[in-house]
Amino acid sequence: MNQEVFGMDCAPCAYGLERGLKKMDGLKNVRVSLNDGKAYIELSENNSLSLGQIQEEVKNNGFSAKKAEVVVEGKLFNENGNFYLKTDTETYSIVNDSSNGISLKLKTGAVKLSGIVEDEEDKELSGNWKITVTEIL
């Protein structure tokens, strides 16, 4: 996953965030780039981390966690004409993006997809996420 991070303005800031993230169980590799304003995170297989936990760690280090590029597995369901993806820890509402046509290919059931996630309320991490699907894997 690639997590955008706002508020980093020096190398020690990026280093501190990288050290904080590396302490989390379930991460295989972490690299924080001050120039890109991102944390590049590779998750271990069968990890139990949630996006909320990772963004909470970013916030605990004094930064703002914004958009994230993620791969998510879970159960896709349709409620009142809207698709949602449920994992063990979080629910993602699927943004209907007609420009890429992927929304038309969604089917309920087990699914793995990649997309861009934005927290619905950045100030208080709610665990409710909006995801614009970029690929069904």
Side-chain angles (χ1 to χ4, degrees):
M1 84 174 272
N2 300 332
Q3 173 65 63
E4 284 186 14
V5 179
F6 289 91
M8 289 189 303
D9 56 5
C10 64
C13 294
Y15 178 73
L17 175 57
E18 188 170 298
R19 287 191 59 201
L21 289 167
K22 283 183 175 178
K23 291 179 184 176
M24 298 180 77
D25 289 334
L27 298 181
K28 185 175 181 180
N29 191 20
V30 176
R31 183 178 63 86
V32 175
S33 170
L34 176 63
N35 292 338
D36 297 343
K38 289 185 179 181
Y40 298 96
I41 301 168
E42 184 179 353
L43 299 165
S44 302
E45 282 196 41
N46 302 319
N47 73 78
S48 61
L49 280 175
S50 68
L51 179 59
Q53 289 171 305
I54 292 169
Q55 287 198 346
E56 191 64 42
E57 184 63 29
V58 170
K59 288 178 181 251
N60 287 343
N61 278 274
F63 307 109
S64 182
K66 298 289 183 180
K67 288 192 269 185
E69 299 170 32
V70 298
V71 173
V72 184
E73 289 185 69
K75 186 163 182 124
L76 192 66
F77 65 96
N78 190 314
E79 187 174 283
N80 299 324
N82 297 310
F83 278 104
Y84 298 89
L85 178 65
K86 177 86 172 139
T87 69
D88 291 339
T89 57
E90 298 168 309
T91 301
Y92 298 81
S93 62
I94 307 294
V95 174
N96 188 4
D97 182 6
S98 58
S99 68
N100 64 17
I102 293 175
S103 300
L104 301 173
K105 298 175 185 174
L106 295 174
K107 293 182 175 38
T108 58
V111 68
K112 181 177 181 180
L113 50 83
S114 64
I116 308 296
V117 175
E118 295 186 56
D119 187 9
E120 289 184 0
E121 180 57 53
D122 188 53
K123 291 182 179 27
E124 297 294 327
L125 292 174
S126 62
N128 294 316
W129 311 96
K130 292 181 182 178
I131 184 167
T132 301
V133 179
T134 55
E135 185 177 6
I136 300 171
L137 305 170

